[in-house]
Amino acid sequence: MATRTERRSPAPHVADSHDLIRVHGARENNLKDVSIEIPKRRLTVFTGVSGSGKSSLVFDTIAAESQRMINETYSAFVQGFMPTLARPDVDVLDGLTTAIIVNQERMGSDPRSTVGTATDANAMLRILFSRLGQPHIGSPQAFSFNVASISGAGAVTIERGGQTMKERRSFSILGGMCPRCEGRGSVTDIDLTQLYDASKSLNEDALMIPGYKPGGWNYRLYSESGFVDPDKPIGRYTKRELNDFLYREPTRMKIAGINMTYEGLIPRVQKSMLSKDKEAMQPHIRAFVERAVTFTTCPDCGGTRLNEMARSSKIAGISIADACAMQISDLAEWVRGLDEPSVAPLVESLRDTLDSFVEIGLGYLSLDRPSGTLSGGEAQRTKMIRHLGSSLTDVTYVFDEPTIGLHPHDIQRMNNLLLQLRDKGNTVLVVEHKPEAIAIADHVVDLGPRAGTEGGEVVFEGTVEGLRKSDTLTGRHLDDRISVKPSVRKAAGALQVRGADAHNLQGVDVDIPLGVLVVVTGVAGSGKSSLIHGSVSGRDGVVAVDQAPIRGSRRSNPATYTGLLEPIRKAFAKANGVKPALFSANSEGACPNCNGAGVIYTDLAMMAGVAVTCEECEGKRFQAEVLKYKLGGRDISEVLAMPVTEAEEFFAAGEARIPAAHAIISRLADVGLGYLTLGQPLTTLSGGERQRLKLATHMGEKGGVYVLDEPTTGLHLADVEHLLGLLDRLVDAGKSVIVIEHHQAVMAHADWIIDLGPGAGHDGGRIVFEGTPADLVAARSTLTGEHLAAYVSTS
């Protein structure tokens, strides 16, 4: 018999020694020479106040360099077609692995993009119906609402064997697109009464479209075209005149000696205004579009986006339109019941994808839901689905607050998914604020000590228990609990909602108290946003601050976005006797060398682009002559470099006293953005900072009711208390505040809670509790009640 001899275990292989991601000397954005070592194949949570440098370290340094280095492995030819990524400002980055970024960026708002098309679910369904659907109508593209049916025939010229010959060819493509709405599911109708006053003539200022003023070129195009009589009321036009006025094809003509293209009013308005993204429009144009255009469900396809042929083919009595309209949890059950050996691998793959939706807490969605309507949290979880079944290991997954939009009940489910990814041998990096998510970390990195220029340093690194005992801002607030109010404010009236049935709401009747702080809560998908945005937001006097992202280029900053720059420019102009345009970096005062950008961007084709501070203006963005003009002893570039807190004092008194500017700056300080500089590019702001900037802007609007959609998004534990103080000040000033929220601290602080549920999708859409937080805790009758009771019991 062979004898077994005891041997020493061999020395670890050199390949196993690379178990750390090393970062040395990171200076991206506000980072101050950060050096850190992150363990691989572990779950590391990065925390710290909003603006402390978490995203700069995780996304702009580690993930960005990983992506850049992967791009460099492609040939120069391929790189020419890829976006150019600049190398992060860091001395050493070692031990990187392939990074997969799952962020909060909203999914494309293209009207043809749905939950099904954004994942692989629709593609698999189309193949399934092309194989099993009866009657059989064609290939998978016959079931696609993004493919139009086209046919044609004609002569083609072919060179063959040195001879040129003509052949007759015909082709046809069978697609599933509804021809009426072109796969959008809705058709637009223009209200002509909002375009013009039919009782007036063109010479009597009949057009009511922004930018179409008498004397302007847009107006003269119609009044001097010769197609219509400018002195005749539009209501008395003949059929031909009205057609020429509204629908005429583009026609070249001369007006006042200038070559112009005449086009009917409706196609011209559609091209110039309706084709643009509504969020990017100027406010007065957006208001016009909302008045003049109505979106109605397409009468031909009933909103399914598919033509009649695609809807006629069925499997077990269900068409592809029916399948996409089902709640995903129900669709998963239907697919599970399909027993067809010929497509067994396809059915299994589709079932796994749909089960992933349910597992991740999105079973209440349907595949035909437009992707642009998903919240930031839903979009992030939808992106996670493709990674759950992945066979990849030793990958770095980077998540940006994955618990956003999640009820405490759902956070545990998300935690399990993050741990699953880690247990497959991956490195998981999570930027997070919620204590429940921080608790599962193997390693914690706390950045601070404060935000902006006062942040950018690692103030703690270690275990969760170590963080709890540390004296950092996060450590001190990790176990914060807010008690339920002993007494609540009395309502000063009620806002009635009757028969609300948007999305999954089931004829909800509710009276929302006014003059108090109302929190609307419930599990994700229970119908909170549908109730408030569907039945409250559009009313007169209601100011709604939703989660839609702020749009802005690197030239935009808090001063331009909030309208603060306008009174400042006028004050500079008045004090120095010059034009206000000189004090705009996007106008006459801009440095001619960098065009007011402060930096010069050099595109190096397939290599990373380079941004160099402008030597002419030294990054100040203005001409030297402009910087000679002062207000209160400061030039315009020094004012834009001020943090909000300093600017608040500067514009409050003395020569620089500008009440209009001071009011805007006070609102920025109120929402906790005191550390931001007035000229900081919007592209460098975090998600939480952008939402609070939007809130500060809306606070200046006149309205009695404020609707806030998850204002704690991106807020550090220490800042939640600040937000509650702001909400109290709004209510004490006579406003009614309605907050859609999952954070227990906000629930505990409410005067009135409306809880929707009991579940998500068709299992929700009902009011399961109305009353004070104390009553909800006492009753413990709902999921929210259970979690709120557990939260306050430890306070």
Side-chain angles (χ1 to χ4, degrees):
M1 283 178 64
T3 57
R4 187 163 173 255
T5 58
E6 291 295 325
R7 287 183 300 173
R8 278 187 194 168
S9 58
H13 195 284
V14 67
D16 296 329
S17 62
H18 302 283
D19 53 0
L20 292 172
I21 295 173
R22 295 181 182 85
V23 181
H24 290 285
R27 292 174 297 276
E28 198 66 27
N29 298 328
N30 67 331
L31 296 178
K32 296 172 182 170
D33 266 325
V34 166
S35 294
I36 190 172
E37 294 187 339
I38 302 163
K40 287 187 185 175
R41 293 176 285 282
R42 297 291 182 271
L43 194 153
T44 301
V45 171
F46 294 78
T47 187
V49 294
S50 184
S52 60
K54 305 181 299 296
S55 295
S56 298
L57 177 60
V58 179
F59 290 94
D60 301 342
T61 303
I62 297 171
E65 180 64 356
S66 172
Q67 288 202 315
R68 190 185 72 83
M69 294 179 84
I70 289 168
N71 288 0
E72 283 190 351
T73 63
Y74 299 113
S75 67
F77 174 75
V78 174
Q79 286 183 54
F81 296 97
M82 301 173 78
T84 56
L85 302 170
R87 187 182 188 280
D89 189 1
V90 60
D91 293 335
V92 179
L93 266 174
D94 187 30
L96 292 179
T97 68
T98 304
I100 294 175
I101 299 173
V102 189
N103 59 18
Q104 294 173 39
E105 286 295 315
R106 293 299 181 93
M107 299 174 88
S109 55
D110 187 289
R112 291 203 191 92
S113 175
T114 65
V115 169
T117 59
T119 57
D120 293 331
N122 252 42
M124 289 188 274
L125 265 182
R126 290 199 298 270
I127 298 169
L128 187 68
F129 273 86
S130 70
R131 302 289 188 274
L132 302 182
Q134 292 297 328
H136 175 75
I137 61 168
S139 69
Q141 68 183 16
F143 295 92
S144 171
F145 53 75
N146 286 324
V147 178
S149 294
I150 307 169
S151 61
V156 294
T157 303
I158 301 171
E159 286 195 13
R160 191 182 291 158
Q163 290 185 323
T164 301
M165 55 184 72
K166 287 192 175 182
E167 285 186 11
R168 184 168 176 78
R169 294 277 176 92
S170 62
F171 73 95
S172 67
I173 296 171
L174 181 64
M177 179 188 287
C178 167
R180 173 85 177 262
C181 64
E182 296 183 340
R184 289 181 172 87
S186 64
V187 287
T188 56
D189 217 2
I190 295 180
D191 183 357
L192 297 181
T193 63
Q194 297 295 331
L195 299 188
Y196 58 82
D197 183 344
S199 66
K200 293 181 180 177
S201 68
L202 286 174
N203 282 345
E204 293 171 331
D205 192 11
L207 298 185
M208 302 186 296
I209 307 165
Y212 285 68
K213 289 290 170 203
W217 285 110
N218 281 335
Y219 210 96
R220 293 178 68 179
L221 187 65
Y222 294 95
S223 62
E224 300 177 27
S225 64
F227 291 122
V228 294
D229 181 352
D231 293 314
K232 184 178 180 181
I234 295 173
R236 289 170 47 198
Y237 282 1
T238 63
K239 195 172 181 182
R240 178 169 181 171
E241 283 176 323
L242 194 62
N243 189 66
D244 283 342
F245 176 57
L246 293 178
Y247 302 107
R248 191 176 178 91
E249 295 289 314
T251 308
R252 296 289 290 170
M253 62 170 57
K254 273 196 177 182
I255 291 178
I258 294 173
N259 288 325
M260 295 186 75
T261 300
Y262 177 92
E263 190 173 17
L265 189 64
I266 286 178
R268 188 175 169 86
V269 167
Q270 281 175 329
K271 285 176 187 172
S272 64
M273 294 181 187
L274 306 190
S275 61
K276 292 180 181 172
D277 181 7
K278 221 157 69 167
E279 279 297 316
M281 292 176 183
Q282 292 171 285
H284 68 289
I285 294 178
R286 190 186 314 154
F288 162 74
V289 170
E290 286 169 351
R291 276 197 322 271
V293 182
T294 54
F295 292 88
T296 52
T297 302
C298 175
D300 286 12
C301 67
T304 62
R305 306 158 180 261
L306 293 159
N307 59 29
E308 194 175 352
M309 187 178 284
R311 301 196 308 272
S312 68
S313 182
K314 299 185 177 182
I315 301 174
I318 298 289
S319 71
I320 191 167
D322 299 330
C324 289
M326 279 185 194
Q327 188 166 304
I328 288 174
S329 55
D330 296 340
L331 179 60
E333 285 300 316
W334 179 74
V335 170
R336 203 167 275 114
L338 294 178
D339 183 20
E340 187 61 52
S342 63
V343 288
L346 175 67
V347 171
E348 187 180 348
S349 182
L350 176 59
R351 190 174 63 235
D352 288 345
T353 300
L354 297 174
D355 285 344
S356 294
F357 271 102
V358 178
E359 187 183 348
I360 210 164
L362 294 177
Y364 59 86
L365 296 178
S366 58
L367 295 182
D368 63 3
R369 170 89 174 259
S371 58
T373 66
L374 298 181
S375 69
E378 287 171 334
Q380 184 169 211
R381 281 178 283 150
T382 300
K383 293 175 199 170
M384 277 183 77
I385 283 164
R386 68 186 60 181
H387 305 304
L388 292 179
S390 170
S391 304
L392 292 173
T393 61
D394 261 328
V395 169
T396 299
Y397 285 98
V398 186
F399 292 96
D400 189 5
E401 292 189 60
T403 60
I404 277 183
L406 287 185
H407 187 272
H409 170 70
D410 299 314
I411 289 178
Q412 186 57 50
R413 187 184 268 166
M414 175 57 72
N415 283 350
N416 291 339
L417 292 170
L418 295 174
L419 293 171
Q420 271 178 37
L421 286 173
R422 179 204 64 186
D423 293 346
K424 282 170 63 177
N426 297 306
T427 305
V428 182
L429 308 181
V430 183
V431 173
E432 195 44 271
H433 291 298
K434 295 264 176 75
E436 302 97 319
I438 296 172
I440 64 164
D442 300 309
H443 189 73
V444 180
V445 177
D446 190 16
L447 282 102
R450 292 278 171 184
T453 53
E454 296 175 37
E457 300 172 38
V458 174
V459 292
F460 174 82
E461 205 182 337
T463 63
V464 178
E465 205 46 52
L467 175 67
R468 192 170 271 116
K469 291 172 184 170
S470 72
D471 195 34
T472 68
L473 199 59
T474 307
R476 290 198 300 272
H477 288 273
L478 198 58
D479 293 318
D480 272 5
R481 298 290 183 269
I482 291 175
S483 304
V484 172
K485 282 183 184 174
S487 62
V488 295
R489 302 178 184 94
K490 290 282 179 279
L495 196 151
Q496 293 186 343
V497 175
R498 295 289 178 266
D501 57 1
H503 298 128
N504 65 328
L505 294 177
Q506 300 179 20
V508 169
D509 295 338
V510 64
D511 291 338
I512 302 172
L514 295 175
V516 296
L517 175 58
V518 178
V519 169
V520 180
T521 188
V523 294
S526 59
K528 305 179 297 297
S529 296
S530 301
L531 174 65
I532 300 304
H533 292 308
S535 301
V536 177
S537 291
R539 301 192 185 192
D540 288 341
V542 175
V543 177
V545 186
D546 59 15
Q547 293 183 4
I550 284 178
R551 296 183 182 276
S553 67
R554 55 181 174 241
R555 287 179 174 273
S556 308
N557 52 53
T560 58
Y561 180 78
T562 59
L564 171 64
L565 193 59
E566 197 62 29
I568 292 175
R569 283 168 49 200
K570 285 178 179 172
F572 264 96
K574 188 176 177 183
N576 295 284
V578 290
K579 289 192 293 186
L582 283 175
F583 303 100
S584 168
N586 298 325
S587 189
E588 290 182 32
C591 164
N593 192 41
C594 63
N595 294 322
V599 289
I600 293 173
Y601 291 90
T602 308
D603 182 13
L604 299 177
M606 73 282 178
M607 294 174 69
V610 178
V612 182
T613 302
C614 174
E615 293 178 2
E616 196 88 14
C617 66
E618 297 176 340
K620 292 179 179 176
R621 305 173 62 196
F622 293 89
Q623 298 174 25
E625 303 86 74
V626 175
L627 299 180
K628 291 174 186 171
Y629 300 120
K630 308 275 184 179
L631 178 71
R634 304 287 187 99
D635 64 44
I636 184 69
S637 71
E638 289 171 332
V639 167
L640 291 175
M642 283 182 185
V644 167
T645 44
E646 186 185 335
E648 192 174 12
E649 288 179 32
F650 180 72
F651 290 112
E655 185 197 340
R657 183 175 179 273
I658 310 173
H662 186 260
I664 295 171
I665 291 170
S666 296
R667 290 198 291 271
L668 289 172
D670 275 346
V671 296
L673 294 177
Y675 58 89
L676 281 190
T677 60
L678 302 184
Q680 184 172 336
L682 288 187
T683 50
T684 64
L685 300 189
S686 66
E689 287 168 336
R690 292 183 190 196
Q691 196 185 14
R692 280 177 287 151
L693 182 60
K694 194 197 280 192
L695 173 57
T697 309
H698 284 294
M699 278 171 64
E701 294 179 18
K702 288 183 169 53
V705 180
Y706 280 85
V707 171
L708 309 181
D709 195 348
E710 296 194 53
T712 59
T713 298
L715 275 191
H716 185 265
L717 300 160
D719 294 326
V720 172
E721 204 171 325
H722 192 99
L723 176 75
L724 295 177
L726 170 65
L727 299 180
D728 277 342
R729 287 198 297 280
L730 284 172
V731 175
D732 293 340
K735 308 286 187 186
S736 302
V737 180
I738 302 168
V739 183
I740 301 169
E741 192 52 86
H742 292 118
H743 202 296
Q744 295 102 313
V746 183
M747 292 182 210
H749 198 72
D751 298 308
W752 193 258
I753 286 186
I754 297 171
D755 192 11
L756 279 95
H762 58 49
D763 297 326
R766 295 189 291 275
I767 304 272
V768 292
F769 177 84
E770 288 179 82
T772 65
D775 292 341
L776 179 61
V777 168
R780 292 193 180 212
S781 56
T782 68
L783 277 172
T784 306
E786 290 282 350
H787 285 277
L788 186 57
Y791 175 87
V792 299
S793 67
T794 55
S795 63

